């Protein structure tokens, strides 16, 4: 994919945009239809990697959560493994905490503050919906208070570690399976930190940490030795983000290097969220006021447990955009503005108008290939790539070297006329518009030790019959002897 990006990096207008950005000038770029805005952003970041040590190189701000996820997919197609989403906490207006979102936000903040010694991924692009930026984050000192770093060869008594885990609402279990759990066995502590893909096993010799290893939940075998382990807590994040008297709410921007560029995708859509935010804040304030009044009445005039002054509120939009003034900004839009004399206009068109007939599709693809020097079709996975190859089998496209198939999750195709490149998606070509998002990486669960661990209603997998539901134990008589059997129910009520 780097070769495709190279074609844009050699473009004269692109070189001029990069020159202006490097000189500290804001730029307005239009004509970016389809997923070409992500293609452009990836090229800008590739250029930045050569000259800047800032991490991240770019913060891409979009108008909503769904768009953030789609743009992250697009960017990962062009810069695999170098993109992270700073999510909005969907429970911001609710009482129940969203530990996953809070852990991901905390993980990114910690990475920006201290670097990330635990993971090999070091994102150069952070994608954030505007809702995530308007939600305050903890001040820097709270990050240190809510992250515990355990280092190999250092003393940190086991009793102090388990006490810290309990204070920060980690749950003690017999065997860890999910983030936020820990288990102890003699001088060994297994802990599954929030925002981590796998748990860590910490072994002690006295009060000294003798070894730290990542291990598999399923096999319980070690996967990798570590020099240190960071354990994140999300329990205090809600209180930490609350704006206290005399203190301004802190935004993600305060964690960024001044050398980080900010790209605003369709700023009119971004600013349109301000009206929604105002309504949400008003509704939330009214609900909190009612709760506080009810609590005070219950306590006969006593203090409520949660004061409105201690509850985090959204950062005003104008204040957030004021903080952006310290950064170089790139505005990315589809429609050119004729009144903007300093605007850079690219000639890009979306490509989602293919016929439903296979022969006509082949003809449409040939026309696109004749117009462009490079034509690349992205398929979501290897199976879809194979299906594409089967469809074009015995057509003139099968052996045409101008057509290239790649695996990657791209949401919208486009033709970039300035560099004579067409980047298409198989789901648009064949009208599979229900482009499903990849599910989150599943957390491996250990196999049960005995059928006695099963509870009524649990789902099980039978080696011959597949997925079923455990209904309990049933006693049957066989050859005059009574025996207990597991009763399983399968599709259409079939029981065995």
């Amino acid at each position: 994919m780097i070769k495709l990006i190279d074609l844009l990096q050699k473009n004269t207008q692109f070189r001029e945009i990069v020159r202006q950005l490097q000189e500290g000038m804001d730029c307005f770029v239009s004509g970016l239809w389809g997923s070409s805005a992500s293609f452009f952003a990836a090229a800008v970041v590739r250029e930045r990697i050569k000259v800047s040590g800032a991490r991240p190189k770019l913060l891409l701000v979009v108008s909503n959560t769904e768009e953030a996820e789609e743009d992250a997919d697009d960017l990962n197609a062009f810069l695999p493994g170098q993109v992270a989403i700073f999510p909005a906490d969907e429970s911001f207006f609710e009482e129940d905490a969203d530990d996953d979102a809070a852990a991901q936000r905390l993980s990114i903040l910690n990475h920006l503050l201290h670097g990330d010694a635990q993971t090999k991924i070091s994102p150069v692009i952070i994608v954030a919906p505007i809702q995530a930026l308007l939600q305050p984050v903890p001040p820097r000192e709270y990050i240190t208070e809510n992250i515990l770093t355990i280092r190999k060869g250092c003393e940190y008594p086991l009793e102090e570690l388990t006490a810290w885990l309990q204070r920060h609402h980690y749950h003690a279990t017999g065997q860890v399976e999910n983030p936020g759990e820990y288990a102890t066995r003699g001088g060994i502590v297994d802990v599954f930190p929030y925002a981590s893909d796998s748990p860590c096993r910490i072994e002690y010799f006295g009060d000294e940490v003798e070894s730290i290893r990542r291990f598999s939940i399923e096999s319980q075998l070690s996967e990798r030795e570590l020099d240190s382990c960071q354990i994140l807590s999300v329990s205090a994040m809600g209180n930490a983000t609350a704006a206290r008297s005399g203190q301004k709410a802190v935004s993600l921007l305060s964690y960024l290097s001044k050398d980080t560029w900010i790209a605003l995708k369709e700023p009119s859509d971004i600013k349109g969220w301000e009206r929604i935010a105002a309504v949400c804040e008003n509704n939330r304030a009214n609900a909190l006021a009612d709760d506080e009044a009810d609590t005070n009445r219950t306590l006969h005039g006593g203090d409520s447990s949660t004061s409105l002054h201690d509850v985090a509120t959204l950062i005003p939009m104008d204040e957030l955009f004021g903080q952006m003034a310290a950064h170089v900004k790139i505005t990315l839009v589809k429609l050119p503005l004729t009144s903007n004399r300093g605007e850079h206009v690219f000639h890009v068109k979306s490509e989602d108008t293919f016929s439903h007939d296979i022969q006509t599709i082949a003809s449409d693809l040939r026309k696109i290939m004749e117009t462009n020097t490079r034509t690349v079709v992205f398929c979501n996975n290897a199976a879809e790539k194979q299906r594409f190859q089967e469809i074009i089998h015995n057509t003139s496209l099968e052996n045409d070297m101008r057509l290239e198939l790649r695996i990657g999750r791209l949401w919208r195709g486009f033709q970039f006329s300035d560099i004579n490149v067409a980047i298409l998606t198989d789901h648009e070509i064949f009208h599979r518009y229900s482009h499903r998002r990849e599910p989150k990486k599943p957390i491996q669960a250990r196999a049960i030790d005995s059928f006695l661990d099963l509870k009524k209603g649990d789902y099980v997998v039978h080696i011959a019959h597949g997925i079923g539901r455990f209904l309990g134990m049933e006693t049957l008589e066989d050859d005059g002897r009574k025996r207990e059997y597991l009763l399983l129910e399968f599709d259409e009520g079939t029981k065995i």
Side-chain angles (χ1 to χ4, degrees):
M1 183 49 61
I2 302 304
K3 292 180 180 178
L4 277 180
I5 291 177
D6 286 347
L7 294 175
L8 181 55
Q9 289 178 314
K10 293 174 183 177
N11 175 265
T12 303
Q13 183 171 215
F14 179 85
R15 301 300 310 165
E16 176 60 18
I17 292 171
V18 170
R19 184 193 65 79
Q20 292 181 11
L21 292 170
Q22 289 175 344
E23 291 180 0
M25 301 168 60
D26 295 345
C27 287
F28 191 101
V29 183
S30 66
L32 299 176
W33 292 88
S35 295
S36 63
S38 295
F39 181 60
F40 175 86
V44 168
V45 168
R46 284 288 302 171
E47 198 68 33
R48 289 227 73 201
I49 289 174
K50 301 175 185 176
V51 296
S52 171
R55 291 269 175 159
K57 310 295 182 187
L58 185 74
L59 171 66
L60 176 61
V61 184
V62 299
S63 62
N64 58 68
T65 296
E66 184 175 357
E67 188 173 357
E69 293 174 349
E70 292 177 3
D71 285 339
D73 282 343
D74 291 343
L75 287 163
N76 269 312
F78 302 120
L79 294 175
Q82 300 189 61
V83 184
I85 296 179
F86 186 72
D89 186 352
E90 300 296 341
S91 68
F92 188 77
F93 299 103
E94 302 170 8
E95 292 183 1
D96 295 333
D98 182 352
D99 284 348
D100 287 342
Q104 177 66 10
R105 288 166 67 89
L106 181 60
S107 178
I108 289 178
L109 295 176
N110 179 57
H111 171 77
L112 294 174
L113 195 58
H114 300 123
D116 196 341
Q118 272 187 249
T119 66
K120 295 176 283 186
I121 298 174
S122 183
V124 295
I125 303 178
I126 293 177
V127 183
I130 186 63
Q131 300 97 310
L133 295 187
L134 293 174
Q135 293 172 359
V137 300
R140 290 170 176 244
E141 59 268 23
Y142 277 93
I143 300 298
T144 303
E145 292 174 9
N146 285 278
I147 293 180
L148 175 65
T149 301
I150 302 294
R151 291 184 172 83
K152 178 181 175 181
C154 295
E155 287 194 1
Y156 195 95
L158 186 149
E159 295 77 12
E160 290 186 20
L161 172 58
T162 55
W164 189 96
L165 293 170
Q166 290 170 359
R167 283 198 310 273
H168 291 82
H169 302 284
Y170 274 72
H171 305 292
T173 64
Q175 193 164 346
V176 298
E177 295 184 13
N178 302 298
E181 295 179 346
Y182 76 96
T184 59
R185 297 184 309 283
I188 298 174
V189 179
D190 291 346
V191 59
F192 202 145
Y194 286 109
S196 178
D197 291 332
S198 57
C200 294
R201 177 162 293 153
I202 303 168
E203 296 191 31
Y204 277 88
F205 183 78
D207 288 339
E208 182 180 314
V209 176
E210 187 173 38
S211 69
I212 305 173
R213 291 170 290 167
R214 286 200 181 280
F215 69 94
S216 165
I217 296 174
E218 189 173 25
S219 68
Q220 294 293 300
L221 298 177
S222 298
E223 295 180 334
R224 183 160 62 97
E225 292 251 358
L226 300 174
D227 292 326
S228 64
C229 171
Q230 288 185 331
I231 306 173
L232 283 67
S233 165
V234 298
S235 60
M237 302 318 291
N239 292 333
T241 57
R244 284 149 173 79
S245 57
Q247 292 185 357
K248 275 191 172 183
V250 179
S251 78
L252 170 68
L253 301 183
S254 66
Y255 283 78
L256 300 180
S257 162
K258 297 299 181 185
D259 292 331
T260 298
W261 293 349
I262 297 177
L264 301 170
K265 185 179 177 184
E266 302 294 343
S268 60
D269 293 341
I270 291 172
K271 291 184 177 180
W273 206 85
E274 186 172 18
R275 295 187 296 274
I276 301 173
V279 173
C280 291
E281 273 289 79
N282 184 58
N283 292 342
R284 183 170 181 253
N286 290 337
L288 287 169
D290 291 342
D291 290 345
E292 189 172 26
D294 291 343
T295 304
N296 284 333
R297 281 194 294 271
T298 302
L299 297 175
H300 304 290
D303 293 333
S304 78
S305 57
T306 302
S307 169
L308 289 176
H309 298 292
D310 293 330
V311 177
T313 58
L314 292 177
I315 298 169
M317 185 77 77
D318 56 352
E319 181 180 322
L320 184 69
F321 272 76
Q323 294 175 18
M324 291 182 187
H327 298 265
V328 173
K329 293 178 291 300
I330 317 166
T331 301
L332 307 175
V333 298
K334 299 185 187 80
L335 293 172
L337 299 179
T338 54
S339 60
N340 192 340
R341 295 178 59 186
E343 180 180 1
H344 298 276
V345 182
F346 285 106
H347 303 91
V348 183
K349 65 177 181 177
S350 58
E351 202 56 65
D352 56 359
T353 56
F354 288 91
S355 168
H356 289 264
D357 176 70
I358 294 297
Q359 294 302 320
T360 309
I361 288 175
S363 176
D364 292 341
L365 275 174
R366 275 194 297 273
K367 290 177 183 177
I368 292 173
M369 291 160 59
E370 290 166 0
T371 306
N372 298 279
T373 56
R374 295 282 299 276
T375 301
V376 178
V377 177
F378 276 91
C379 305
N380 289 342
N381 49 53
E384 291 189 8
K385 180 180 178 181
Q386 181 180 348
R387 177 59 179 156
F388 193 100
Q389 291 169 329
E390 291 171 355
I391 290 173
I392 64 173
H393 182 59
N394 291 332
T395 71
S396 60
L397 297 176
E398 183 176 16
N399 298 313
D400 196 320
M401 301 303 294
R402 294 173 299 175
L403 178 63
E404 180 183 353
L405 301 183
R406 296 193 182 189
I407 295 175
R409 297 185 62 79
L410 196 70
W411 280 82
R412 296 172 185 86
F414 56 91
Q415 288 193 64
F416 212 122
S417 301
D418 302 80
I419 56 175
N420 295 319
V421 168
I423 300 177
L424 312 175
T425 68
D426 72 322
H427 68 92
E428 287 181 309
I429 292 173
F430 298 119
H431 302 277
R432 292 194 297 269
Y433 288 106
S434 56
H435 181 38
R436 293 180 297 175
R437 200 169 280 114
E438 284 286 339
K440 290 183 179 179
K441 181 180 178 181
I443 297 172
Q444 291 182 329
R446 64 182 177 90
I448 60 173
D449 298 320
S450 164
F451 67 85
L452 297 175
D453 292 340
L454 290 172
K455 298 185 292 293
K456 286 185 178 181
D458 282 352
Y459 287 96
V460 298
V461 180
H462 191 282
I463 194 169
H465 302 290
I467 298 174
R469 186 167 55 203
F470 175 64
L471 298 183
M473 304 294 293
E474 188 168 301
T475 303
L476 300 175
E477 189 170 328
D478 182 21
D479 293 334
R481 299 176 60 186
K482 290 185 178 181
R483 296 182 179 180
E484 284 192 315
Y485 295 86
L486 277 68
L487 181 60
L488 305 178
E489 181 182 41
F490 295 88
D491 192 25
E492 299 180 353
T494 304
K495 297 178 181 178
I496 63 170

